[in-house]
Amino acid sequence: MKNIGIIGSTGSIGTQSLEVIRELNGLVPGSFRISALACGKRIEAAASQAREFGVRLLCTAEKEDAEKLKELLWDMKPEVLWGREGLNEIAGSDMDMLVTAIVGMAGIEPTLKAIERGTDIALANKETLVAAGEIVMREAGKKGVSILPVDSEHSAVFQCMQGIKREELEKIILTCSGGPFRTYPKEKLSGVTPKMALGHPTWNMGGKITVDSATLMNKGLEVIEAARLYNIGLKDIEVTVHPQSIVHSMIKTRDGAVLAQLGFPSMKLPIQYALTYPERLPCNVPVLDFEKGLSLTFEKPDCEKFPCLGLAIAAGEEGGTMPACMNAANEKAVRMFLGGAAKFTDIPMIVEKAMNAHRTIKDPTAEDVLNVSAETYAAAGL
Ligand code: NAD
Ligand code: MG
C-alpha cells in the first residue's frame, strides 16, 4: 500500500489524481491510501473527498474554511489545519508520495518540506521547479527523493528516457499546442478577454495554466522545468508547436534517434505513471485509433507574437533568482488580467518590467527564492 498526500486536491490535477487512485484501487483493492489533503476554497468538494477516502488530516487556505470543513466532517473528527503553516505541516507529514497539485509559488515551501522528510514527489506544480529548481533537485538528490513529473510533456520525456542513460540524451523536444490564439491576428491580441483566453483548444485545466498556455508562458516555464529535471542546458531544449496535442514530447539521443510518447490528450496517464512508476497498469483513457487516420503537424513557435516564451527562456539562462522573479511577475500579471486590471498583451510587459528591475542573486537559498517571489509579486504591475 502506498500512502499519498495531495496538496491542491480540489483543482484540475487534484481531482484527476483522486480519480486515478479510485480506479487503481478498483483494480488492486487497497493499493493506495490518501493520508492527507490540502485545498484552497472548495470546501464542500474537499469534504466529500475526505469522506470517500477516509482522510483524517486536512488543510484549507483560510481559518474560517477550516472551521467549516470541521463542521461538515463533524462525525469523522479529522485534524483540520489551515494557512501556510498548516500546508507545510501536511506536506511534511508521514507519507510515501506527495502530489503537488497546488498552483503557483505557494507550492515551493511545501515541496521542500516533503523533500526534507524524504517523501517522493509527483510534481505537477511546475512553478516550484521554475523558481527553486536547482534547490529542489539538489535537496532531492541529497535525500534520495524521486521527483516524478506529472506535467504531460515531462512525463513524456521521462517515459522516453526509460532505458536511456543521461549521457545518451542530446536534446529534449517539447511540444506545445500553440494555445487558443495560435492563428489569431497579432494586432487583435490586446482585445483578448479572460473568457477567450480560458477556452483552451485541447486541454481542460485550471485558470492560471490556461492563461499561461494562451501566452505561451506555460511552455517557457516548461523549458525551465525540463532543464532542471534533466540537468540539460536550455539550448538543448527545443519547442515545437503541435496543435493536435497527440505527441506529448520527444527526446533525441546521440545516435540521432528521436523517441516520442503519443496519446490522447489526458492528464490521467501522466498522473498514473508518476503514482505507479516503474510499473505500468491499465489506465482508463481513450486510445489512439490509427485506422481512423491521424495527421500530426509541427511548426516553429512565434516568439514575436508571444514574447513570454522568450522572456522565460532568458530568465532560465540567467539563472539564480531571475526565474523566481519572472514566475512571480507572471503570476501577478495573470491575476491582474483575469481580474480585468490588465490587458492580455500587458502580461509580457509586466514580466519584462519586473525582470529588468531585478538584481539576480546567484546560488540563492530557499529563503532568497521565497523573498524574491514575494517581493516581485507585491511590486509587479503596469
Ligand atoms: P487549479 O487551479 O485547477 O487547482 C489548484 C488547486 O490548488 C486548487 O485546489 C486550489 O484550491 C489549490 N490551492 C491554491 N492555493 C492554495 C493554498 N494556498 N493552499 C491550499 N490549496 C491551494 O490548477 P491545476 O490546473 O490543477 O494546476 C495545478 C498545478 O499543476 C499548476 O502548477 C499547473 O501548472 C500544473 N499543471 C496542470 C495541468 C492541468 O492539466 N491542469 C497540467 C500540467 C501541469
Ligand atoms: Mg504541460
Side-chain angles (χ1 to χ4, degrees), residues 126 151-154 209 218-219 222 225 267:
K126 65 189 83 185
D151 211 349
S152 58
E153 294 77 2
H154 305 76
I209 184 176
N218 184 50
K219 211 49 55 178
E222 290 185 354
E225 186 185 5
M267 288 308 294

Side-chain angles (χ1 to χ4, degrees), residues 8 10-13 39-40 101-102 124-127 151 205-206 209 267:
T10 57
S12 162
I13 293 291
C39 74
I102 193 168
N125 177 259
K126 65 189 83 185
E127 292 89 349
D151 211 349
M205 312 174 288
I209 184 176
M267 288 308 294

